[in-house]
Amino acid sequence: MEEPPSGPPSPSPLRIERDLSASAASPRPTRRPRPAWLALLIPLVLTPGSVKGQTTLERIEQSGRLTYGSDMEGGGPFAYIDPNDPNRLIGFEVELMDALADRLGAEAELAQGQWDQLLNVLSAGNVDAVVNGYELTPARVRTYRATRPYYLFQLQLMVRKGSSIRSWSDLKQEKPGGRRWRVGVLGGSSAETFAEEQHDGTVEVRAYTGATDAMIQVLSGQLDATLQDLPAARFYQPQFPELENVGPPEGLGYYVIYLRKNDEPLAEAINQGIADLIEDGTLERIYRKYDIWTDAQTRLAKLDAEQLASETEALSRESERGWALVWKYRDHLLRAAGTTIFLSVVSMPMAILVGLIVALGRLYGPAMVRVPFTLYVELIRGTPLMLQLFVLFYLANLPPYVAGILGLAINYSAYEAEIYRAGLQAIPPGQMEAALALGMPRWLALRRVVVPQAVRIVIPPVTNDFIALFKDSSVCSVITIVELSKQYQILANSTGGVLEFALVCAVLYLAMSLPLSWLSRWSEQRLRGGVKVRATKRGAPE
C-alpha cells in the first residue's frame, strides 16, 4: 500500500463501536460500492484541536482520544465491519490501536478516509496517526515519522486450483503460447513493486484498486494469478474456495504507523507501546486470533530500533527529488499520456456517431425507435461511468482497453445524443420542407441539408465534451488501465514527488486540451466561410 497523491484531504471520520472480543471468523469482503448504511453512520467531528505549544502526545493525554486514519473499504483483516453486527468494527489493526491507546490513557477512534489519501489527512492535522497496512518505504519516511514495525508481511501467490503455476519462479518461465503471464496486484503496493521487478519480461502486471478485484479476475480467467499481502491472502482465501495459495511467501516488508514528522514524543510513546505488546504477548495473541501470525513475526522482538532508524534514514537519502525525479520518469509519463490520448481519440468518434444516430432516431424515427433510444439516453446519463466500466470489465469480462473504450463511448454517446438533438431542432423546419418539396427523400434531406447545418452548430459543445473526455478517461484506472492520472498517482506514491508530478501532469493535460480548443475555433471559421462573428454591445452577432 502506498503514499497519497496531492489534493485536499477529505476525511469522513466514523465512530463505530469496537468489539475487542469479536471473532475473526466469517470475514466479509468490503469492496465498492460502499454499503448504503455506512453513510448513515454518524460522522464524528474530529479535527483535533491543539493548543499552541502543545505536542500531539500532550493533547491526546489531555483529551483522552487518539484518532487514527484507516480505510475500512480495504477490508479484512486490517479493519472491517463485523458481519455479525454492522455496528461493530473489528480487525487486527483495530485491536492494535485500542491496545496502544490504552497505554496512553486514551481511547482510540478510527477516522474513515480513502486509503490513498490518508497520509494527506495526516499532514492536514485531521488525525494523529495513520495505520492501514502502510509499508515502510523511502518516499514516506522522507515526509513522515514512521514508528517501529508492528507486523512483518510477506507476499503470497494465489492461483486457480489446478493451475500449472506452483510458485513465483514458474512465472519467470515463458508462458505456453508465447504470451506473458497476467498477474493482478493491489495498485501502489509492495506486491506491485515486487511483481514489476521480479520477472524477466514474462509477466504483465495489472494493478487493481482492491484485493478482491484481482481474485475475481483470477476466477474469471482474465488473470493467471494474483500476488497479495499474506494477511489479505489468508483472510480472503476461504471466500474464494476455487483459489489456492501456492509457493512459499515471497519478499519481506514492514507495516508501520505513520505520524507527522515533528511528533517525536508520540512516536516514542507508540514505539514503547509496541515493544510492550510484543513482550507481554498481546501482539501475538491478536495476530493468532486473525490467523496472520507467521514465523517471521518472531523477528519483531529482535529488531534493533536504532539500526532500523538509521536504515530508514539511509533509504530516505537515496530517494531523488525535484525535477531530476521527473526527468527520470519522463518515459512513464509520456506513455501514460499516450494512453490517455488513445482512449479519448478512439472512443470519442464512436460516441459522436452513436449520439448522432440516437438523436436522429429520437427526432425522425418511428415510435418503436424513439422509445428505446429515449430509455438508452436516460439510463446511460443516469448511471455513473465507473459503474458502466465495472459492468463491461467484470460482468462482460472484456479486456481492459476494450472495456475502457466502449465504456467511454457509451457514456458520452448519451450526452452527444442530446447535443445533436438540440442542434437538429435548431434548424428551421422550412429547410426540411424545402428539401422535400424539391423531391428529396426524407433521409437524403437529413443527410444533405439538416445534419450538416446541425453539425456546425454543435461544434463548440462537442469539443467541450471531447476535452472533458480526456479528463474522464482517468476513471479507466479502476479497470487496471494506467493512463496519465493513474501514472501520476503511482509515481507520487512510490517516489514522493507529489508536487513535481502534479505540475507535469497538469501541463500534459493542458497540452492535450488546448489544441482541441484551437481546432474548434478554426473549424467554426471554416464552416462559416472564413467570416468572423463578433458580438455587439447588446450581445447579438454582427
Side-chain angles (χ1 to χ4, degrees):
M1 299 187 174
E2 272 304 327
E3 192 175 359
S6 64
S10 54
S12 300
L14 301 173
R15 184 174 188 171
I16 299 177
E17 178 185 350
R18 292 171 295 281
D19 179 17
L20 299 180
S21 62
S23 168
S26 303
R28 60 181 287 277
T30 54
R31 295 295 318 128
R32 304 174 306 267
R34 293 176 186 277
W37 53 263
L38 203 58
L40 300 179
L41 295 179
I42 300 174
L44 178 68
V45 179
L46 74 134
T47 305
S50 60
V51 179
K52 187 176 181 180
Q54 188 181 42
T55 67
T56 302
L57 179 60
E58 291 171 343
R59 181 179 49 73
I60 291 172
E61 292 173 341
Q62 183 179 19
S63 65
R65 188 178 67 188
L66 169 63
T67 306
Y68 65 96
S70 184
D71 185 1
M72 290 182 288
E73 187 180 7
F78 302 92
Y80 59 102
I81 303 297
D82 185 349
N84 298 317
D85 186 352
N87 292 319
R88 290 187 295 188
L89 180 64
I90 57 178
F92 79 92
E93 289 183 342
V94 174
E95 297 197 23
L96 168 66
M97 293 307 294
D98 281 335
L100 290 174
D102 185 61
R103 279 161 173 74
L104 299 178
E107 181 182 357
E109 294 180 348
L110 185 149
Q112 168 63 29
Q114 187 176 332
W115 182 81
D116 58 3
Q117 294 291 332
L118 287 175
L119 290 179
N120 281 340
V121 175
L122 176 66
S123 297
N126 289 331
V127 295
D128 302 317
V130 165
V131 51
N132 200 197
Y134 270 84
E135 301 137 352
L136 184 68
T137 66
R140 290 174 182 152
V141 298
R142 187 173 56 237
T143 309
Y144 302 97
R145 174 68 164 88
T147 66
R148 67 177 297 165
Y150 62 86
Y151 188 80
L152 273 67
F153 73 91
Q154 293 177 286
L155 303 173
Q156 180 65 57
L157 192 64
M158 301 180 73
V159 300
R160 285 189 304 278
K161 287 184 176 176
S163 170
S164 61
I165 302 171
R166 307 316 300 167
S167 69
W168 183 261
S169 60
D170 290 341
L171 298 177
K172 295 182 179 180
Q173 309 300 321
E174 188 173 338
K175 183 179 179 180
R179 302 179 64 181
R180 293 189 297 172
W181 301 100
R182 292 165 300 181
V183 177
V185 297
L186 181 65
S189 67
S190 289
E192 182 178 16
T193 304
F194 180 90
E196 292 282 3
E197 295 176 349
Q198 301 296 320
H199 68 86
D200 300 321
T202 55
V203 172
E204 174 189 345
V205 181
R206 294 184 180 179
Y208 291 77
T209 56
T212 55
D213 294 340
M215 297 176 191
I216 292 171
Q217 290 285 284
V218 175
L219 282 179
S220 69
Q222 285 281 348
L223 296 177
D224 297 303
T226 176
L227 191 65
Q228 301 284 342
D229 283 10
L230 186 61
R234 286 192 175 184
F235 183 83
Y236 286 115
Q237 198 279 327
Q239 300 177 25
F240 294 88
E242 296 178 12
L243 301 184
E244 61 177 336
N245 299 334
V246 295
E250 302 284 347
L252 183 67
Y254 305 102
Y255 287 161
V256 297
I257 301 171
Y258 281 105
L259 312 172
R260 283 178 287 275
K261 199 71 174 179
N262 58 353
D263 278 342
E264 191 60 32
L266 179 60
E268 292 177 0
I270 289 181
N271 284 343
Q272 185 58 50
I274 293 174
D276 292 344
L277 294 177
I278 294 172
E279 184 176 353
D280 65 14
T282 301
L283 213 55
E284 180 177 349
R285 177 186 59 78
I286 294 174
Y287 294 164
R288 288 191 182 280
K289 177 180 177 180
Y290 290 90
D291 193 27
I292 59 171
W293 176 264
T294 62
D295 292 341
Q297 307 313 314
T298 57
R299 295 176 54 184
L300 284 172
K302 302 175 183 177
L303 282 177
D304 186 330
E306 294 297 329
Q307 181 182 356
L308 185 61
S310 62
E311 289 176 355
T312 302
E313 288 298 320
L315 289 173
S316 177
R317 283 196 296 271
E318 289 172 2
S319 300
E320 296 185 65
R321 303 198 67 176
W323 298 112
L325 189 65
V326 174
W327 182 253
K328 180 179 179 181
Y329 291 98
R330 64 188 185 283
D331 291 340
H332 293 72
L333 292 167
L334 293 176
R335 275 199 301 271
T339 300
T340 296
I341 294 173
F342 173 74
L343 290 172
S344 305
V345 170
V346 175
S347 59
M348 192 62 186
M350 297 170 63
I352 291 174
L353 178 61
V354 174
L356 179 59
I357 293 173
V358 171
L360 290 172
R362 292 186 66 185
L363 289 175
Y364 301 101
M368 61 180 298
V369 172
R370 290 198 303 270
V371 173
F373 279 175
T374 302
L375 292 176
Y376 172 83
V377 170
E378 297 303 327
L379 175 65
I380 299 302
R381 285 197 310 175
T383 53
L385 171 60
M386 182 182 293
L387 182 60
Q388 294 159 10
L389 290 173
F390 286 160
V391 170
L392 292 171
F393 186 62
Y394 290 107
L395 296 184
N397 213 21
L398 296 176
Y401 277 88
V402 175
I405 291 171
L406 284 181
L408 290 170
I410 292 173
N411 183 269
Y412 271 76
S413 67
Y415 296 96
E416 299 313 303
E418 290 302 275
I419 290 174
Y420 274 99
R421 190 164 68 91
L424 292 169
Q425 288 177 326
I427 306 302
Q431 300 271 344
M432 172 64 83
E433 294 169 1
L436 295 176
L438 291 174
M440 286 187 182
R442 188 177 185 82
W443 288 107
L444 182 61
L446 281 174
R447 184 162 61 88
R448 292 190 175 179
V449 178
V450 178
V451 172
Q453 297 182 76
V455 168
R456 189 185 68 179
I457 294 173
V458 302
I459 284 178
V462 168
T463 305
N464 191 51
D465 265 8
F466 200 177
I467 295 172
L469 188 143
F470 266 101
K471 290 169 283 188
D472 279 354
S473 63
S474 63
V475 183
C476 293
S477 63
V478 301
I479 55 172
T480 75
I481 295 177
V482 181
E483 40 66 57
L484 187 54
S485 294
K486 183 62 177 179
Q487 188 64 69
Y488 158 72
Q489 190 175 14
I490 293 172
L491 293 177
N493 288 343
S494 58
T495 66
V498 176
L499 294 178
E500 298 96 321
F501 288 121
L503 182 57
V504 171
C505 287
V507 171
L508 287 174
Y509 272 116
L510 192 62
M512 289 186 283
S513 60
L514 272 181
L516 286 175
S517 300
W518 296 336
L519 178 63
S520 172
R521 285 196 289 271
W522 177 81
S523 300
E524 286 183 75
Q525 290 181 6
R526 288 275 298 177
L527 290 173
R528 291 193 194 102
V531 177
K532 293 185 178 180
V533 177
R534 293 183 301 174
T536 64
K537 292 182 178 179
R538 294 184 177 181
E542 289 180 344

